[in-house]
């Protein structure tokens, strides 16, 4: 009898366990299947980006709603040319047709598009910015300009004085070759000139500095293209001011009457996307962002697609560009360029360098130029260093012009680089 009862109890327990396991499996399957359903609550955010629907989706509360889950870039199905399933198998998807990709290659959720919210600010115009910010530059660069002027205006320019001229230029990060050239040219001119007044010395120094900085270089930003948005990639090491610079460039463009889409392809740090979104919102620019850890190339791709769909003038893409390894950096940047290139050429690649890091900025510049074709340099934080000579050194090193300079943390503290205004600021007002 006891044996019968024991058998019955065991049978009941077994049936219960089987039921429990089956129920769990069914629930998890329905959850997985449900995430592909079009009528799930958050489905509106991602398809709006993929289906070519022009109206941006604004997440009700969380900025991450509808964003791709972290780590999608590591999905086994992804190929170098098919970022996180955004592009269908068998080649690039034309603008507006990405939603036609096979079901398996369509991500469960995609980059999120955040439309700006009012009130929109009116940024300061680009013209005259450098003159307005000149005082800030003059304050930080006093050592270079005044030091050189004092030395060159002296009656007795002996060898020791020339060594001081050389040292002043080197300390200001002008670089060894440019310094040697400048000293040689200045020596020659003082020999010819003989006795000099302070005004003579100033003129002479101004000429030589301008010759080094370059007055005929094309420094215009390639931010417009016929019949499509111009695409600008912003690259650089973290902390140099990349995201801030993207936001400031957006303001410059908006001030010029252009429409801008921002791509938050720095998916390494979620705060970077938040930061960019805030910048965009202030001037009415739409931001396309992905989840932390999402594939940067997919975000860049969607941003460009958004720009095309919206008929925007410029798409600005902020990248992470961490220097973990040179190969990793190269792979990431080349992939972004290649994937973006399926829809549009990249018109400008701006390298952001922190001028306070001196020689380190040059080392970074070298690494980045090996990874991607840089077309312009943005030198940030020139308000916080006396080493304005870095402008000369960077241009020599890269053979690429400085196009913009950052002169403070304020939203409009970025100016198109103007050689004359820059050199005049270095030298200060004539006595
Ligand atoms: N003084 C000064 N500060 C600046 C300038 N440009 C940027 N900054 C500051 O530099 C800091 C870093 O800027 P970010 O834009 O976050 O740098 P990032 O390169 O995007 O960094 P990650 O997002 O970590 O990759 C911020 O505090 C900015 O306000 C500038 O021209 N002058």
């Amino acid at each position: 009898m006891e044996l019968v009862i024991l058998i019955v109890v065991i049978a009941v327990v077994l049936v219960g366990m089987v039921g429990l396991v089956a129920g769990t499996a069914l629930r998890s399957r329905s959850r997985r299947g449900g995430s592909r359903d079009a009528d799930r609550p958050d489905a509106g955010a991602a398809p709006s980006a993929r289906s070519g629907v022009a109206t941006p989706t604004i997440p009700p509360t969380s900025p991450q709603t509808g964003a791709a889950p972290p780590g999608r870039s590591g999905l086994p199905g992804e190929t170098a040319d098919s970022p996180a399933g955004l592009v269908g198998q068998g080649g690039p998807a034309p603008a507006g047709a990405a939603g036609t990709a096979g079901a398996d290659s369509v991500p469960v959720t995609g980059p999120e598009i955040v439309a700006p919210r009012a009130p929109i600010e009116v940024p300061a115009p680009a013209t005259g910015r450098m003159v307005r910010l000149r005082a800030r530059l003059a304050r930080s660069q006093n050592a270079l300009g005044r030091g050189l002027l004092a030395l060159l205006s002296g009656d007795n320019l002996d060898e020791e004085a020339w060594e001081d001229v050389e040292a002043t230029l080197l300390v200001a990060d002008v670089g060894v070759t440019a310094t040697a050239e400048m000293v040689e040219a200045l020596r020659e001119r003082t020999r010819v000139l003989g006795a000099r007044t302070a005004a003579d010395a100033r003129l002479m120094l101004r000429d030589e500095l301008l010759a080094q900085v370059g007055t005929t270089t094309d420094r215009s930003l390639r931010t417009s293209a016929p019949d499509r948005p111009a695409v600008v990639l912003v690259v650089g090491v973290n902390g140099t001011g990349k995201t801030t610079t993207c936001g400031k460039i957006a303001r410059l463009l908006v001030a010029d009457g252009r429409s801008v889409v921002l791509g938050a392809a720095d998916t390494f740090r979620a705060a970077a996307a938040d930061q960019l979104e805030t910048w965009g919102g202030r001037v009415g620019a739409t931001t396309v962002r992905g989840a932390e850890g999402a594939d940067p190339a997919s975000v860049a791709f969607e941003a460009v697609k958004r720009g095309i769909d919206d008929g925007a003038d410029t798409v600005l893409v902020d990248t992470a560009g961490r220097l973990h390894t040179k190969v990793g950096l190269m792979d990431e940047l080349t992939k972004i360029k290649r994937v973006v290139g399926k829809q549009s050429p990249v018109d400008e690649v701006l390298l952001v360098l922190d001028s306070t890091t001196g020689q380190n900025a040059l080392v970074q510049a070298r690494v980045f130029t090996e990874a991607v074709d840089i077309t312009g340099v943005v030198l940030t934080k020139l308000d916080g260093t006396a080493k304005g000579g870095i402008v000369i050194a960077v241009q020599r090193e890269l053979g690429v012009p400085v196009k913009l300079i950052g002169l403070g943390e304020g939203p409009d503290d970025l100016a198109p680089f103007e050689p004359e205004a820059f050199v005049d600021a270095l030298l200060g007002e004539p006595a």
Side-chain angles (χ1 to χ4, degrees):
M1 185 59 183
E2 280 175 358
L3 187 66
V4 172
I5 292 172
L6 190 65
I7 290 169
V8 169
V9 169
I10 290 172
V12 168
V13 170
L14 278 176
V15 167
M17 281 173 69
V18 167
L20 202 65
V21 169
T24 311
L26 272 175
R27 268 199 306 279
S28 79
R29 206 159 60 201
S30 75
R31 219 181 295 133
R32 276 203 307 271
S35 66
R36 289 201 193 102
D37 286 347
D39 59 359
R40 66 193 159 79
D42 64 339
S48 69
R50 291 193 299 277
S51 61
V53 176
T55 319
T57 307
I58 305 172
T61 44
S62 159
Q64 290 301 330
T65 310
R72 277 206 62 82
S73 60
L75 288 178
E78 187 207 347
T79 64
D81 287 343
S82 173
L86 283 164
V87 186
Q89 287 164 349
T100 59
D104 283 343
S105 64
V106 175
V108 175
T109 51
E112 180 198 4
I113 295 165
V114 186
R117 291 158 227 226
I120 307 287
E121 295 174 18
V122 181
T127 322
R129 269 200 196 193
M130 185 133 172
V131 172
R132 183 171 61 77
L133 296 168
R134 204 161 65 181
R136 214 170 283 179
L137 196 55
R139 252 199 316 276
S140 61
Q141 308 300 330
N142 249 352
L144 173 60
R146 297 221 174 279
L148 286 176
L149 278 178
L151 286 165
L152 293 170
S153 311
D155 289 334
N156 184 21
L157 254 175
D158 54 15
E159 275 313 303
E160 203 180 323
W162 281 115
E163 276 169 25
D164 287 345
V165 169
E166 192 175 336
T168 309
L169 289 167
L170 287 174
V171 166
D173 268 345
V174 168
V176 178
T177 323
T179 296
E181 279 179 17
M182 274 193 75
V183 169
E184 182 51 39
L186 288 168
R187 271 179 182 263
E188 182 58 31
R189 286 183 70 156
T190 48
R191 251 196 307 272
V192 172
L193 206 64
R196 299 164 311 279
T197 64
D200 291 335
R202 193 176 190 286
L203 199 65
M204 180 170 80
L205 191 55
R206 188 176 189 275
D207 281 353
E208 292 309 324
L209 282 169
L210 276 176
Q212 289 294 334
V213 172
T215 48
T216 54
T217 323
D218 177 12
R219 297 177 195 272
S220 57
L221 284 179
R222 299 178 208 155
T223 49
S224 52
D227 308 324
R228 63 171 176 86
V231 178
V232 180
L233 283 190
V234 179
V235 304
V237 172
N238 53 306
T240 52
K242 255 177 308 105
T243 308
T244 311
T245 298
C246 272
K248 289 177 178 175
I249 296 175
R251 293 179 71 88
L252 269 175
L253 295 173
V254 168
D256 220 15
R258 321 268 193 86
S259 58
V260 177
V261 169
L262 293 168
D266 178 357
T267 56
F268 192 84
R269 192 171 64 90
D274 293 341
Q275 211 181 321
L276 197 65
E277 193 183 307
T278 306
W279 278 101
R282 289 173 70 173
V283 287
T286 298
T287 302
V288 176
R289 56 181 293 173
E292 193 171 345
D295 183 0
S298 74
V299 178
F301 180 91
E302 284 294 334
V304 173
K305 181 178 179 307
R306 184 73 199 182
I308 293 170
D309 289 349
D310 285 0
D313 295 310
T314 315
V315 179
L316 281 173
V317 180
D318 183 22
T319 63
R322 313 239 141 197
L323 280 173
H324 30 243
T325 64
K326 200 157 88 178
V327 176
L329 174 76
M330 281 188 191
D331 286 352
E332 182 168 310
L333 293 179
T334 353
K335 182 176 173 186
I336 291 178
K337 243 187 126 175
R338 187 176 62 246
V339 170
V340 163
K342 291 171 182 295
Q343 302 183 98
S344 163
V346 173
D347 299 277
E348 182 95 66
V349 182
L350 290 174
L351 173 63
V352 179
L353 295 172
D354 177 344
S355 51
T356 63
T357 60
Q359 292 303 309
N360 215 357
L362 290 180
V363 175
Q364 291 166 17
R366 242 168 263 148
V367 175
F368 274 90
T369 39
E370 284 170 32
V372 67
D373 286 334
I374 307 294
T375 57
V377 172
V378 183
L379 268 179
T380 58
K381 312 185 193 181
L382 263 172
D383 53 308
T385 176
K387 295 169 177 289
I390 192 84
V391 169
I392 295 169
V394 158
Q395 293 188 144
R396 265 188 178 258
E397 177 75 34
L398 302 186
V400 168
V402 171
K403 294 193 169 179
L404 295 163
I405 55 172
L407 287 163
E409 296 195 70
D412 291 329
D413 292 344
L414 181 82
F417 182 74
E418 294 168 27
E420 284 85 0
F422 177 75
V423 168
D424 286 342
L426 294 193
L427 297 178
E429 293 302 316

